[in-house]
Amino acid sequence: MPVITRYISSSSMKPILKDLKEYLSRGGQCYVICPLVEESENLQAKSAIQIAGAMQKYFQSQYQVGLLHGQMKEEDKEKVMTGFLNNTIQILVSTTVVEVGVDVKNANMMVIYNAERFGMSQLHQLRGRIGRGKEQAYCYLMSSSTTSEAKERLRYLEKSHDGFEISLYDLKLRGPGEVLGHRQSGLPTFLVADLMKDFPILSIARKDADKIIQDYVQKHEYQGIICKIQEKLKVNNEYVD
């Protein structure tokens, strides 16, 4: 089943605490994702160490809270993940180290703090850690950001579960950057064309240009030379353009 995703306009877990406690009381397990390992003076964002400490204090002996992040030793990380897999840990507070390769079918709730700090594809990837069994899964995207773009991105994830659609939407929002350059986002410096809006006609133009070149080659003496070059560049039974 698709993961039910909800954007929560808050930096606190209070709006969803009742849902979390009810879910845990039924024997479920939960991921809590934070953008930072520890608190930073430069970034106003929740840290995994801070949230893990707060949740351990709140739940005390009722539920076990585990902490996982990339700065831990491998044996310590493995110990925590084994505990979560065996359900001796019910709440796993973590950074994005659980983004791939984790499969705990009993964990069907995820809370992501400061969701605006993650890319859309990354949020979709994180969300993919839950809903891996037969139970309905819930993902809460928590953000107190007031920017319209952040709100728009998170609201889009509420309704979309297709990774390709999400990537395309993200590309439209951020811009493709430079094809030949260093910028990974923003608008390319085409004088006329818009890479997103004009993609169909750009594809047609490329095919037309290729046909013009092929027609020219066939009518001139360069045809033999081109064929020899293509033969030398033959890779996996396909010609390199």
Side-chain angles (χ1 to χ4, degrees), residues 2 21 31 125 128 134 138 181 200 202 225 232:
K21 290 166 74 173
Y31 293 96
Q125 187 94 308
K134 296 180 180 179
Y138 298 86
L202 287 170
I225 298 173
K232 289 183 179 180

Side-chain angles (χ1 to χ4, degrees), residues 130-218:
I130 58 175
R132 304 179 73 81
K134 296 180 180 179
E135 300 295 324
Q136 178 62 63
Y138 298 86
C139 179
Y140 296 94
L141 305 174
M142 296 174 57
S143 172
S144 58
S145 175
T146 57
T147 67
S148 57
E149 183 177 326
K151 292 178 180 179
E152 187 180 343
R153 288 167 66 242
L154 298 179
R155 288 196 181 109
Y156 185 84
L157 284 166
E158 284 185 306
K159 60 184 180 180
S160 180
H161 299 86
D162 186 301
F164 293 103
E165 287 182 1
I166 291 168
S167 295
L168 183 60
Y169 180 81
D170 189 36
L171 181 63
K172 288 178 180 178
L173 279 182
R174 295 188 303 109
E178 295 175 324
V179 178
L180 300 174
H182 299 288
R183 290 193 301 118
Q184 296 183 25
S185 63
L187 296 176
T189 54
F190 292 131
L191 295 177
V192 177
D194 183 315
L195 192 58
M196 300 305 300
K197 294 179 181 178
D198 300 328
F199 183 76
I201 198 169
L202 287 170
S203 299
I204 293 170
R206 185 187 185 280
K207 291 177 182 178
D208 288 346
D210 186 59
K211 187 176 184 306
I212 290 169
I213 292 171
Q214 292 299 324
D215 289 346
Y216 180 85
V217 168
Q218 288 175 5

Side-chain angles (χ1 to χ4, degrees), residues 12-25 32 49-65 91 93 113:
S12 166
M13 201 181 281
K14 286 182 181 178
I16 62 168
L17 192 56
K18 182 181 177 181
D19 291 342
L20 174 61
K21 290 166 74 173
E22 184 182 339
Y23 167 75
L24 291 171
S25 70
V32 178
I49 293 174
Q50 170 194 4
I51 294 299
M55 296 196 79
Q56 285 168 353
K57 185 178 179 180
Y58 181 83
F59 287 110
Q60 296 183 4
S61 59
Q62 189 176 8
Y63 300 110
Q64 292 299 309
V65 179
I91 302 170
V93 182
Y113 276 100

Side-chain angles (χ1 to χ4, degrees), residues 71-162:
Q71 295 178 14
M72 294 168 60
K73 294 180 180 179
E74 287 301 319
E75 55 264 33
D76 293 334
K77 286 194 281 187
E78 190 171 336
K79 184 178 179 181
V80 171
M81 280 310 307
T82 300
F84 193 58
L85 183 62
N86 295 333
N87 202 2
T88 55
I89 292 174
Q90 288 76 49
I91 302 170
L92 180 62
V93 182
S94 174
T95 56
T96 55
V97 291
V98 296
E99 188 176 354
V100 292
V102 177
D103 187 7
V104 181
K105 291 181 174 58
N106 191 51
N108 289 298
M109 181 175 283
M110 177 176 283
V111 179
I112 304 178
Y113 276 100
N114 300 107
E116 79 282 354
R117 292 192 171 274
F118 300 93
M120 292 186 74
S121 294
Q122 191 173 34
L123 289 170
H124 180 61
Q125 187 94 308
L126 285 166
R127 181 172 60 179
R129 298 305 96 207
I130 58 175
R132 304 179 73 81
K134 296 180 180 179
E135 300 295 324
Q136 178 62 63
Y138 298 86
C139 179
Y140 296 94
L141 305 174
M142 296 174 57
S143 172
S144 58
S145 175
T146 57
T147 67
S148 57
E149 183 177 326
K151 292 178 180 179
E152 187 180 343
R153 288 167 66 242
L154 298 179
R155 288 196 181 109
Y156 185 84
L157 284 166
E158 284 185 306
K159 60 184 180 180
S160 180
H161 299 86
D162 186 301

